[in-house]
Amino acid sequence: MLVKTFGAAVQGISAIMVTIEVNVSPGIKFMHVGLPDNAVKESHERVASALEYNGYKFPRKQIVINMAPADIRKEGSAYDLPIAVGVMAADEKLKADALADYVIMGELSLDGSLRPIKGVLPIAIRAREEGFKGFILPKANAREAAVVNNLKVYGVENLKDVLEFFNGIRELEETVVNTREEFFENVKHADVDFSDVKGQENVKRAFEVAAAGGHNIILVGPPGAGKSMMAKRLPTILPPFTLHEALETTKIHSVAGKLDGNTSLIARRPFRSPHHTISDVALVGGGTFPQPGEISLAHNGVLFLDELPEFKRSVLEVLRQPLEDRKISISRAKFAIDYPASFMLVASMNPCPCGYYNHPTKECVCAPGVVQKYLSRISGPLLDRIDIHVEIVPVPFERLSDRRPAESSAAIRERVVQARQVQERRFKDVDGVYCNAQMSSKQLRTFAIPDEEGMNLLKQAMTRLTLSARAYDRILKVARTIADLDASEVIHAQHVAEAIGYRSLDREGWIG
């Protein structure tokens, strides 16, 4: 008897429906076709053991399993459950009437219990689009799938529960999540706050400007000055997630298998901080079976690279294209996958190997030329793509011991949100641009033209600092953001002056 069950294959952050055709007939062969990988082929042993452990007899007949479309590679162990259901239905041990109404996915243990799988959210979205009535999957993934409305989600713990459900012996409990209620309940919760930071008012201002315009930022300063502490607080002043952004970010983390069983929707902007020993592929994504990298996991959030010069040169250079295009394309011989990568880059570094170049009280012990060699590990093209450069110095004891509360993240975020609202109105007719950092050169000529005094000041800076054309664009973008924070439609000289001040590493003679 021929029976069809339905699953899905994840490509990038989208899913493609897979029809699993099972035919049981007299004979002794077991054939698995449709471009399955080794994990899918090994399902025979898991399915047979799970069925027998739960009191069902695996058919000793010829079984042919085809996974269509046959030209798409099927990967992983998530097809165990639909294969087991299909085999039982094809052997007439299971009623097949309702199989066409459900997408079924799950990895089987040898005792029939179900293990969690990856990519549940994209599969649930595709199931709803294809008009399926419900989605049967491991209980550990049920809350993640229940984010999708107009789709019944049934989380199950054991293969026997699924078989008895289709035979009409038992009912499965539907998992229901109030997506909007949970999202807005968690969206403003944060464990850290800028009120914890004493002093560093100029650096806080730089972070406010960066958050308001979506600009990349690099902090240069000695050990213990507070670089990492402040970077970790940047997500607390970014505008709250919209529901669309949260869904998009959750899809990426779902595909990468980074969601735990209690998470239904990511409500706070991600903060990713990879170690400097990370490989190129781990950062940008890819591999034999492509997976999202750190830059995609930081989508709509912050990617923090601590001790930037310690990263391998090749790792840093692969960042250049994603920083411009806000996506990463992974190409293979037979397919290409695009992962979104719209993140804010925050980098920090010591000014020299010993860490105390330009320190107010400690003397640098580095040999002549070492400082320049250390900073040259970061290429000029990459540095040009970072809008804001900030020097940070240690906070004196008087400021550290000050008991007066500093400005909270909520107060800073309020100004940031107001500036972002100005930008939303400005770019409402421009596709793909939501903040000043995303403006193209053509849009700069429309929206970021300084007044005459500001233009003269910029001309002098370009000549004296020998800035590149890209640095010129960055200054205009940052100046536009500073003017937005001041609720000024015109970019004045003081806005340009502050933006130029955020190009510390471009200043001639900064090294020695």
Side-chain angles (χ1 to χ4, degrees), residues 229-240:
M229 179 185 184
M230 300 189 74
K232 290 174 182 176
R233 284 156 176 75
L234 177 58
T236 66
I237 64 172
L238 290 172

Side-chain angles (χ1 to χ4, degrees), residues 142-149 175-180 182 264-265:
R143 286 179 55 79
E144 181 185 338
V147 166
V148 180
N149 57 10
T175 302
V176 179
V177 172
N178 189 326
T179 307
R180 292 184 177 274
E182 288 206 6
S264 58
L265 197 66

Side-chain angles (χ1 to χ4, degrees), residues 271-300:
F271 179 87
R272 305 295 298 183
S273 180
H275 192 260
H276 62 258
T277 56
I278 191 172
S279 67
D280 309 15
V281 172
L283 186 67
V284 301
T288 307
F289 307 114
Q291 288 286 300
E294 289 291 333
I295 61 172
S296 294
L297 294 172
H299 180 61
N300 290 324

Side-chain angles (χ1 to χ4, degrees), residues 406-420:
E407 189 175 29
S408 69
S409 292
I412 301 173
R413 173 185 267 185
E414 190 174 335
R415 296 195 294 271
V416 168
V417 169
Q418 289 175 355
R420 285 287 184 107

